[in-house]
Amino acid sequence: MKLVTEMAAMRDGIRLATDIHLPDGVGPYPVILERTPYGRHLPSRSEITEAAPDEPASRAELAAYFGAHGYAVVYQDTRGRHGSEGRFVKYLSDGEDGFDTCAWLVGQPWCDGRICTMGLSYSAHTQAALGCLDAPGVVAQVLDCGGFANAWKSGIRQSGAFELKQATWALKQAQLSPEAEADPVMHTALAAEDVREWFTRMPWRRGHSPLRHHPDYEAYLLDQWEHGADDGCWHKLGIWAEGFYERYSRAACVHLSSWWDPYPLTATANYVGLTRAGRGAQRLILGPWTHGDRSLTRFGDVEFGAGASLDSWAGDWRAYRLRFFDHVIKGAPLHEPAVRVFVMGGGSGRRTPTSHLDHGGAWLAADDWPLPGTDFVRYHLHNDGRLDPAPPPAGAAPVSYDFDPAHPVPTIGGAMSSLEPVASAGAWDQTEAPEFFGCTPPYLPLASRPDVLVFQTAPLAAPLRIVGPIEAGLFVATDGPDTDFTAKLIDVHPPSADYPKGYAMILTDGIVRLRYAENPASPRLRRPGAVVRARITLFPTANLFLPRHRIRLDVSSSNFPKFDVNPNTGEPEGRARRRRVAVNTVFADAARPSHLVLPLLAM
C-alpha cells in the first residue's frame, strides 16, 4: 500500500495530521476512518487476536489487511494531539472536526464518497460525535467501547458522582502531550508525580494537583469535576449523543461493550435510542471483557471459559469488522443477530489450573435489547437482610449506618478503565486484599464493614438467569445536606473445597449523589431526615445464578477510587475542604419498599 501524510484543514484553519493508506490500484475506494488522540502512527493495544494476544497489529498492518479487500484506510490525530495543530480540549472539538474531516475525505479523488468509521474508546467517542452531525459520506460505524450517550449518566460522571478514571487518564495523557514532549521540564515534572499518593488527597485544586505542570489538562479535568448539575454544560456535542438521535447519521452501526468496561450503559442506550429513532440498522455486542480486551477470557480473578472471546465466534475482531464493512459497502451477506450477549455463569465454581474461579458462560443471540421475553421483577430489601420478591411488612424499622468519608469503601474490581495504577477492572471476590487501593489489615470481606448493608436471597433451589438493565429504587435519608448511595450486585458462590469461604463475585454496580435525586439539573441539598426516593442505575449485565448460589445486593455510600467521595457537607462539587460523618438510612417497609429490579429471562 501507499502511505501519504497530509495536514487536513478544519473550518477554523487548524490542520490535523492525517495518514492515508491507499491500496495498489486505480481507485476510487471506500474509506475506513479512525480518529484518535493516541497517535495515528502508534498501534492500538486493542488490535490483538486470540492467536497473538501480546502482539497488537500495527497501523500499517491493519491498513494492509483492509487494503487487500479494496479499502483506503485513514488515521488522524485529533486536535492538539501528536502531529495535529490546535489546543486539546477533551471530547468537545471532535464533532465539528470529524464532520470537516469527512467533508474533506469525500472531496478527495481517491475516495468514492463512502466512509466507514471504527475505533476503540476515545476513537468511539469521536465516531459518535461526527455521527451526531450526520457527517457526509458516513455509511457504517463500529463504536467499540464508547460514544457517550450521556456523559453525566456514565462516562464522566455517574448520576452526579465523578468517575476518577478521568483524573488518571488526564495525568497519563498530559505526559504524552505535544507540550510535554516539547518541554523536558514539564515532562519530567509530570512523570515524577505519584498518582496513588495524590489519590489520598482529594479533591484536587487548581494549581495544587499533579496536573499543575500542564494547566490546560488540569483546567479541563477540574471543569468536569466541579460542574455537577446536569445542565447545558453536559448537553454538548461529543458527550451527549442522546440529544441527537433524531438527526443522527443513518449509517449502519455496531455498538460493542462489555461487563467490565465503562461503556455498556452507553452502548445499550445508543442502540436503543438510534433504533427507536429509525436511523440506520443497529447491532449490539456485549461480552464479558475488560476495556478493549475482547480476545481474552479471564478478567480480574475469574475465568469465563474458552468461548468467552469474540474470536470464538467471529474469527477475530478484524474479520468481524471486514464482514460488517463488506456487508454495508458491497452488499455481502452478514449472518449476525441484531444482539449478541455473553451470559456469565454456569461454570464449575472450582479453581482453574491457573488459580482463578471458573465462572463460565455462554453466548446468547437475540432480536432486540432489552431481550424479548424479559420479565422485570422486583426483589425487595428487608431489614433482616433478606432480598426477596415478597414485599416488606408495614411498620418495619429502617436500617441506618455511619458513613465516614475519611474511610470510604474500597473499590475491588468492577466496570472501569484507565484507573491504573490505582485500580483495575474485572471480576473479584469482594474481600479486601493488599493489592487493592484503600484496603487495610486484617483484609476482611467488605460485607463485614458496618457501613455496608447486605441484602441477599436464600440459596437458590433452581437456576436463575438475568439479562438486561438493572435498577435499584431506594427510599433513603441522611442527617446532613448531601451524601451518596451505592448499590452493588453480587453472585455469591457457596463454600467449596477450593473456596471454603465462598466467593462473592461482583457483577455490576451504580451510584447516585443525593442532591441530584429528584432533578439532576437542579441540585437540592437535603433536610436532615427527609425521606428521598433515589434511583440507582447499575450497569446492565447478564449472569446465570446456579442452584445454591445467592443473589446479593450491597448498599453503601462510597466506592473509592472508582468514584470521588462525597464529604457529606453539601459544599460545591470538587471544592470541599471539610468532611463530616453522615448517618444514612435505608427504609424497607410497605410504605417505602426499597427494591432491586432484576431482568429475569426464562431458561
Side-chain angles (χ1 to χ4, degrees):
M1 295 188 73
K2 177 183 178 183
L3 171 61
V4 178
T5 300
E6 296 198 26
M7 298 297 290
M10 302 295 101
R11 65 188 65 183
D12 61 356
I14 292 297
R15 300 180 306 156
L16 306 185
T18 308
D19 282 354
I20 303 158
H21 297 260
L22 296 174
D24 297 326
V26 178
Y29 310 101
V31 172
I32 297 174
L33 168 67
E34 180 174 343
R35 303 187 65 252
T36 176
Y38 300 121
R40 73 192 189 283
H41 56 300
L42 300 175
S44 168
R45 68 168 186 84
S46 71
E47 293 294 350
I48 62 171
T49 64
E50 198 169 42
D54 300 317
E55 299 177 12
S58 69
R59 298 285 188 188
E61 290 170 334
L62 196 62
Y65 176 83
F66 290 117
H69 295 87
Y71 294 89
V73 179
V74 176
Y75 301 112
Q76 184 182 75
D77 290 330
T78 56
R79 178 177 295 243
R81 298 289 295 177
H82 295 277
S84 288
E85 298 172 349
R87 176 173 172 264
F88 175 69
V89 179
K90 196 175 186 185
Y91 306 133
L92 300 183
S93 64
D94 291 307
E96 292 182 345
D97 285 352
F99 182 99
D100 292 352
T101 297
C102 290
W104 178 80
L105 286 173
V106 298
Q108 302 303 307
W110 41 264
C111 173
D112 73 359
R114 295 176 295 173
I115 301 171
C116 305
T117 67
M118 67 176 187
L120 168 76
S121 194
Y122 198 112
S123 295
H125 303 326
T126 65
Q127 294 181 68
L130 64 87
C132 287
L133 293 181
D134 193 9
V138 178
V139 295
Q141 294 191 306
V142 179
L143 297 109
D144 183 359
C145 302
F148 294 119
N150 182 322
W152 189 89
K153 292 180 180 177
S154 76
I156 299 178
R157 305 193 82 90
Q158 192 165 324
S159 296
F162 188 60
E163 296 188 11
L164 289 173
K165 69 181 176 69
Q166 294 291 341
T168 42
W169 190 97
L171 182 58
K172 179 178 179 181
Q173 296 305 319
Q175 294 179 46
L176 299 174
S177 68
E179 296 82 5
E181 289 183 354
D183 184 344
V185 174
M186 176 190 290
H187 187 275
T188 300
L190 288 165
E193 297 290 356
D194 187 329
V195 70
R196 287 175 64 92
E197 292 296 334
W198 276 101
F199 264 62
T200 69
R201 191 155 296 170
M202 287 188 164
W204 298 348
R205 305 193 308 277
R206 295 173 193 272
H208 303 281
S209 82
L211 282 158
R212 65 193 183 280
H213 316 291
H214 199 318
D216 281 354
Y217 279 65
E218 183 184 64
Y220 93 70
L221 174 69
L222 296 185
D223 284 348
Q224 294 174 346
W225 199 336
E226 294 170 359
H227 197 99
D230 184 17
D231 55 20
C233 178
W234 296 100
H235 299 169
K236 293 179 179 178
L237 177 63
I239 57 174
W240 189 55
E242 68 179 25
F244 294 82
Y245 289 154
E246 297 295 331
R247 44 187 162 153
Y248 197 91
S249 168
R250 293 188 180 275
C253 296
V254 174
H255 308 271
L256 180 142
S257 186
S258 48
W259 307 135
W260 312 112
D261 176 65
Y263 299 110
L265 202 59
T266 278
T268 53
N270 284 340
Y271 169 85
V272 171
L274 292 171
T275 299
R276 303 299 182 262
R279 310 316 286 172
Q282 309 293 314
R283 285 183 166 80
L284 177 66
I285 302 171
L286 296 166
W289 318 300
T290 46
H291 191 61
D293 296 318
R294 66 192 76 78
S295 292
L296 307 180
T297 64
R298 178 181 63 79
F299 306 100
D301 188 39
V302 176
E303 172 62 51
F304 293 98
S309 71
L310 182 139
D311 305 56
S312 67
W313 55 266
D316 61 38
W317 187 225
R318 283 172 285 186
Y320 178 89
R321 285 174 290 178
L322 178 62
R323 290 198 301 273
F324 176 66
F325 293 150
D326 280 352
H327 171 69
V328 175
I329 295 292
K330 304 175 183 178
L334 182 66
H335 304 294
E336 287 292 332
V339 176
R340 192 187 289 267
V341 176
F342 188 86
V343 182
M344 301 178 287
S348 69
R350 300 296 302 273
R351 193 181 295 274
T352 69
T354 55
S355 294
H356 303 291
L357 176 75
D358 174 24
H359 191 69
W363 287 96
L364 185 67
D367 297 327
D368 201 4
W369 177 273
L371 273 60
T374 302
D375 187 14
F376 291 91
V377 177
R378 284 190 176 191
Y379 279 69
H380 292 94
L381 282 58
H382 292 254
N383 65 4
D384 61 358
R386 284 183 296 130
L387 185 66
D388 197 302
V399 185
S400 298
Y401 59 93
D402 292 345
F403 162 43
D404 184 353
H407 301 286
V409 177
T411 299
I412 301 179
M416 69 190 92
S417 70
S418 305
L419 250 178
E420 294 84 2
V422 187
S424 298
W428 297 90
D429 185 15
Q430 295 301 286
T431 297
E432 295 192 47
E435 60 264 34
F436 301 117
F437 185 87
C439 292
T440 57
Y443 302 119
L444 295 176
L446 291 182
S448 69
R449 290 178 59 114
D451 59 350
V452 175
L453 305 184
V454 176
F455 303 91
Q456 60 184 357
T457 65
L460 299 177
L464 184 148
R465 183 169 61 175
I466 64 168
V467 182
I470 312 286
E471 184 174 292
L474 304 182
F475 292 85
V476 298
T478 185
D479 71 343
D482 192 32
T483 196
D484 290 351
F485 282 91
T486 63
K488 185 184 296 180
L489 182 63
I490 293 169
D491 183 346
V492 181
H493 287 243
S496 66
D498 288 339
Y499 297 95
K501 298 179 182 179
Y503 196 100
M505 177 185 146
I506 183 173
L507 295 173
T508 182
D509 64 71
I511 191 170
V512 64
R513 187 145 290 169
L514 209 56
R515 69 177 73 181
Y516 305 110
E518 291 102 343
N519 184 352
S522 182
R524 176 182 170 190
L525 297 182
R526 318 315 318 175
R527 287 185 297 106
V531 178
V532 182
R533 184 169 185 172
R535 184 178 73 175
I536 302 179
T537 301
L538 291 76
F539 279 7
T541 194
N543 188 66
L544 174 63
F545 294 87
L546 292 179
R548 299 180 58 232
H549 288 225
R550 295 176 186 260
I551 305 170
R552 187 171 111 192
L553 180 72
D554 286 0
V555 175
S556 191
S557 293
S558 54
N559 185 357
F560 179 75
K562 182 175 181 179
F563 302 110
D564 67 338
V565 179
N566 196 320
N568 303 327
T569 61
E571 293 171 88
E573 291 280 13
R575 299 184 183 184
R577 288 180 176 269
R578 298 169 45 245
R579 293 185 294 210
R580 68 182 297 275
V581 176
V583 178
N584 289 345
T585 300
V586 177
F587 295 86
D589 58 63
R592 296 165 294 193
S594 295
H595 58 272
L596 172 70
V597 181
L598 291 179
L600 304 189
L601 191 66
M603 299 293 294

